[in-house]
Amino acid sequence: MSTELETDLDTDLGGERGGRRLVLGAVGVAGFVAVWWVASLFNPDYVLPPPDAVARTFLGELRSGAMVVALAQSVTHWLPGTIVGTVLGIALGVTLAYSDLADDVAAPIVRLLRPIPPLALIGFAIAWIGINDGGAAFIIAAGALWINYYAAYGGVDSVPDEFVDVARSLGVTSDLELVRKSCSPLRRRRSSPGSEPASGAVG
Amino acid sequence: MIIVAAEIFGVPGIGRKILTASNNLAVDVVIAYILLMSLVYLVLDTGVEAIQKRVLAWR
């Protein structure tokens, strides 16, 4: 126990182990850039430009404001898409994991829809919403939905029955209260990691 | 990944920039915007991790 705590503190507070990781990480990045630079010597710029050319382009785009504009445009549909997908995914995952009836009814539909890649939904996005931020947000929401759905579902599903029984015997009667008091604190152990890949998938 | 997918059909943004630059063989611009996406992810990941450490301190 104390060893784990010391290791965590060491890493978090930038101790010897944290410092070593930083140095090794910097070496890794430097090695990657070196390999990239060497590879660029044997390729034309339109195949693999050298790192310094990319750095100049990056700064040029940043200074001209084009990069900030593109980022703002992406955030305009990324943010609502991620929020809608995350909220719906968690709500759906908690509901289906909590209710056997809902799970039995929805399981075939979930299995049918899950393998559809967001890219395949472009046609639907154009037909239903149009070529606008709403359409793009729809595709992003579809991508974020399943990640959060499976994380929330797994979290609630793994709550031991004994915990639910204890909650009931201590006076929790409504389903909503049971989810909130018994499942939710345990669910977060599993569902919160869903938000990380979800943000990564769309970011 | 999904940002790029979402912008394939013409909505402006980072993905659209990457696709346009790719069509013009401007690979330096493509890599510059890929780096931007990586930086955005790094910021988001760090933010989510910080929130998790606060909200799920018991973990």
Side-chain angles (χ1 to χ4, degrees):
Chain A
M1 185 69 173
S2 61
T3 312
E4 280 177 24
L5 184 63
E6 279 165 18
T7 308
D8 286 349
L9 286 174
D10 198 26
T11 310
D12 290 343
L13 300 177
E16 191 184 328
R17 188 174 141 77
R20 188 169 170 269
R21 283 193 68 179
L22 272 178
V23 171
L24 288 175
V27 170
V29 172
F32 173 77
V33 173
V35 169
W36 174 7
W37 180 72
V38 171
S40 71
L41 295 176
F42 302 98
N43 290 286
D45 276 5
Y46 63 85
V47 174
L48 186 64
D52 58 312
V54 172
R56 276 195 302 274
T57 305
F58 188 95
L59 290 174
E61 291 285 313
L62 193 64
R63 283 180 188 141
S64 72
M67 204 167 252
V68 178
V69 170
L71 184 61
Q73 287 168 333
S74 285
V75 169
T76 308
H77 47 259
W78 168 77
L79 201 59
T82 303
I83 291 171
V84 169
T86 302
V87 170
L88 283 179
I90 291 177
L92 200 66
V94 170
T95 305
L96 297 195
Y98 184 75
S99 164
D100 287 340
L101 176 68
D103 195 24
D104 290 342
V105 170
I109 303 164
V110 168
R111 284 190 174 185
L112 192 76
L113 294 178
R114 172 65 189 100
I116 300 173
L119 204 63
L121 298 174
I122 286 178
F124 293 106
I126 293 172
W128 293 342
I129 302 169
I131 303 174
N132 50 35
D133 285 325
F138 170 78
I139 294 166
I140 290 167
L145 186 135
W146 295 115
I147 296 170
N148 286 287
Y149 165 78
Y150 277 108
Y153 186 99
V156 174
D157 200 42
S158 66
V159 173
D161 290 341
E162 292 84 1
F163 285 26
V164 178
D165 291 341
V166 167
R168 283 203 171 113
S169 66
L170 289 174
V172 177
T173 49
S174 74
D175 287 341
L176 194 64
E177 202 178 4
L178 197 60
V179 167
R180 195 167 62 84
K181 291 192 170 171
S182 179
C183 298
S184 183
L186 293 159
R187 174 186 59 77
R188 280 184 290 178
R189 190 177 300 184
R190 289 281 183 88
S191 71
S192 60
S195 56
E196 266 181 85
S199 66
V202 295
Chain B
M1 182 179 74
I2 298 176
I3 280 278
V4 177
E7 291 168 3
I8 277 179
F9 63 94
V11 180
I14 297 173
R16 191 70 204 158
K17 276 272 183 189
I18 290 173
L19 290 167
T20 308
S22 179
N23 289 339
N24 295 330
L25 289 179
V27 183
D28 53 337
V29 178
V30 172
I31 298 175
Y33 278 93
I34 288 172
L35 284 176
L36 175 66
M37 290 178 87
S38 299
L39 289 174
V40 170
Y41 173 74
L42 196 69
V43 170
L44 285 172
D45 191 46
T46 308
V48 170
E49 208 172 318
I51 291 169
Q52 276 188 347
K53 274 188 181 169
R54 267 184 163 275
V55 178
L56 307 176
W58 50 269
R59 222 167 50 157

